[in-house]
Structures are given as structure tokens and as C-alpha cells.
């Protein structure tokens, strides 16, 4: 039973990391009721958002198991500090790192290290997931580097996103410091569903995203 709870913590921690800096350039199919021009401007604004603090809750549902946990996520450009407590009131996990070095600490279980979040996920659970995408998806953006199908709502923000075998539903947004950011998101994978509810968004634009290796190409 405890291992099942531990798996929930590890899975979401690993989904929610930034593997490195990348620019837009993937082929993107856009449909829906929004304006492509407004969507392009919205993407440019959010891509410059390179820091935040999130407090919220995450729920995970698999074929034979489910659970929930509270979430704290600090992002400072390519450094992240993600902490979860639970699910179901048990256990705690902390994931810290930057490109090339990832550390997972699980209460009363130990420390696990790997050069990438994908490698850490494979070593600990034997699962293959696009673990580096959520840093984009949580902002309401398709991840760069692969094809995506985007459906816009009437405000020219994401209503639905399909990418790399995942379907993401954006159910509500909240405005904070001039940014419109997802408040409630559902992610549907082949055998895993994740629900993210953000109770507090604190976005930060730290101002160094414009360096050559991270220039946006929208």
C-alpha cells in the first residue's frame, strides 16, 4: 500500500520538471474559436515567464489505484524545487534539480539521482512518459520539439491540447500579475489521468530567457 502511494508521488514529481531550455518551432495545428494572432501574442508573453511559485493539489488515477497530494512548485529559470505531501495523507517527496542533475528525496525511503528526469522515472518505475512537458503545459503552452494539436477557446487561450499521446483539458484560468494562467487542468494519458488544481499562482518574469540558446520562435 505504501509503495502505491509512493508511486503517485514519484510520478507527478517527475512529470513536473524542466529538462532544459528549448524554443518554439514544432509543427502546431490550431483550431477552435479563438484568434491565431491573439494566441501567438499570448504564447510569446507566457514563454517569457521563467519563474513562478505554485501552491495547489494534484490527483492521480490509474486503472487500479488513485490518490491525491498537495503541491508546492518553485521554478527559477532552469532550477526547480517541487514538493508533495500525501497522497491520502501519507508520505512526502521533494524533487530538485536543473538540466543534467536531478535529485528525488522521499521521506523514510531515500535519495535517488539521475542526469535527467526521464532516466530517473525509468530507473524507479520503468515507465516512459514525456516528463519534461509539464513545465510548458502548466503555463497553458504546447511543449516545443514535437507536433501538437491546439484547440482555442473564445479568449484565444488553450481549451484542449493533444501532444505526444497525451490529451490535456484546460477547464479554467485565473489572471495574476497580468498573466492569464491555468487554474484547473486535466491530463489524460494511455493508462494515467492527472488532475491539477492551482490554488495560488505567483508568476515571475526573471528576464534572462532572451539569451541566444533560449530565444523563442513563435
Amino acid at each position: 500500500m505504501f509503495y502505491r502511494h509512493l508511486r503517485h508521488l514519484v510520478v507527478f514529481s517527475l512529470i513536473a520538471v524542466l529538462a532544459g531550455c528549448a524554443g518554439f518551432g514544432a509543427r502546431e495545428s490550431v483550431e477552435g474559436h479563438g484568434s491565431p494572432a491573439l494566441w501567438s501574442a499570448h504564447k510569446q508573453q507566457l514563454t517569457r515567464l521563467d519563474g513562478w511559485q505554485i501552491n495547489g493539489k494534484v490527483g492521480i488515477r490509474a486503472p487500479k489505484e488513485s490518490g491525491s497530494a498537495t503541491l508546492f512548485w518553485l521554478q527559477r529559470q532552469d532550477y526547480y524545487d517541487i514538493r508533495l505531501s500525501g497522497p491520502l495523507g501519507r508520505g512526502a517527496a521533494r524533487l530538485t534539480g536543473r538540466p543534467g542533475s536531478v535529485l528525488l528525496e522521499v521521506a523514510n525511503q531515500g535519495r535517488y539521482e539521475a542526469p535527467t528526469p526521464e532516466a530517473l522515472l525509468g530507473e524507479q518505475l520503468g515507465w516512459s512518459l514525456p516528463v519534461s512537458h509539464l513545465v510548458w503545459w502548466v503555463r497553458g503552452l504546447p511543449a516545443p520539439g514535437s507536433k501538437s494539436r491546439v484547440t482555442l477557446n473564445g479568449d484565444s487561450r488553450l481549451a484542449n491540447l493533444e501532444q505526444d499521446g497525451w490529451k490535456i483539458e484546460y477547464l479554467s484560468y485565473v489572471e495574476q500579475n497580468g498573466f492569464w494562467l491555468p487554474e484547473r487542468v486535466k491530463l489524460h494519458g494511455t493508462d494515467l489521468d492527472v488532475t491539477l488544481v492551482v490554488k495560488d499562482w505567483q508568476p515571475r518574469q526573471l528576464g534572462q530567457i532572451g539569451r541566444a540558446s533560449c530565444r523563442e520562435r513563435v
Side-chain angles (χ1 to χ4, degrees):
M1 179 66 71
F2 180 78
Y3 177 70
R4 179 179 298 173
H5 297 319
L6 174 60
R7 280 178 54 170
H8 292 149
L9 287 170
V10 174
V11 169
F12 189 78
S13 296
L14 290 168
I15 290 174
V17 301
L18 175 60
C21 185
F24 285 96
R27 284 165 289 178
E28 179 182 287
S29 171
V30 180
E31 54 190 57
H33 303 291
S35 162
L38 292 177
W39 164 239
S40 180
H42 180 66
K43 282 198 300 183
Q44 291 185 50
Q45 183 200 35
L46 290 184
T47 301
R48 291 192 292 269
L49 180 62
D50 57 349
W52 58 80
Q53 180 176 309
I54 287 175
N55 290 281
K57 188 175 182 179
V58 59
I60 294 178
R61 182 180 298 275
K64 296 183 179 181
E65 54 194 12
S66 62
S68 63
T70 59
L71 167 70
F72 169 84
W73 180 353
L74 177 70
Q75 187 79 33
R76 290 293 180 263
Q77 298 178 327
D78 60 3
Y79 171 78
Y80 46 85
D81 182 346
I82 300 168
R83 307 179 193 188
L84 296 103
S85 60
L88 305 179
R90 301 186 184 184
R94 182 182 183 185
L95 187 73
T96 56
R98 61 181 73 252
S101 178
V102 182
L103 173 64
L104 174 67
E105 300 173 271
V106 181
N108 303 316
Q109 294 294 305
R111 296 158 54 98
Y112 309 92
E113 296 184 65
T116 68
E118 288 83 359
L120 192 55
L121 180 64
E123 290 171 4
Q124 297 304 316
L125 297 178
W127 290 4
S128 178
L129 290 172
V131 296
S132 302
H133 284 7
L134 195 61
V135 72
W136 299 90
W137 293 348
V138 75
R139 286 176 284 173
L141 298 171
S146 63
K147 294 180 181 179
S148 60
R149 183 178 180 181
V150 168
T151 302
L152 303 180
N153 63 21
D155 296 315
S156 302
R157 296 186 284 269
L158 278 184
N160 293 279
L161 169 64
E162 296 181 28
Q163 189 169 30
D164 291 337
W166 285 78
K167 295 182 179 180
I168 301 96
E169 299 178 75
Y170 291 87
L171 304 178
S172 63
Y173 287 82
V174 63
E175 190 274 335
Q176 184 67 43
N177 296 346
F179 297 93
W180 281 97
L181 296 159
E183 184 179 41
R184 184 176 177 87
V185 185
K186 288 189 175 182
L187 302 93
H188 306 285
T190 301
D191 56 3
L192 183 68
D193 290 336
V194 178
T195 300
L196 173 63
V197 178
V198 179
K199 297 181 179 180
D200 180 40
W201 260 108
Q202 296 183 33
R204 298 287 186 271
Q205 188 172 321
L206 302 179
Q208 299 182 25
I209 280 292
R211 60 188 184 275
S213 62
C214 296
R215 293 188 185 278
E216 306 94 322
R217 296 185 299 276
V218 179

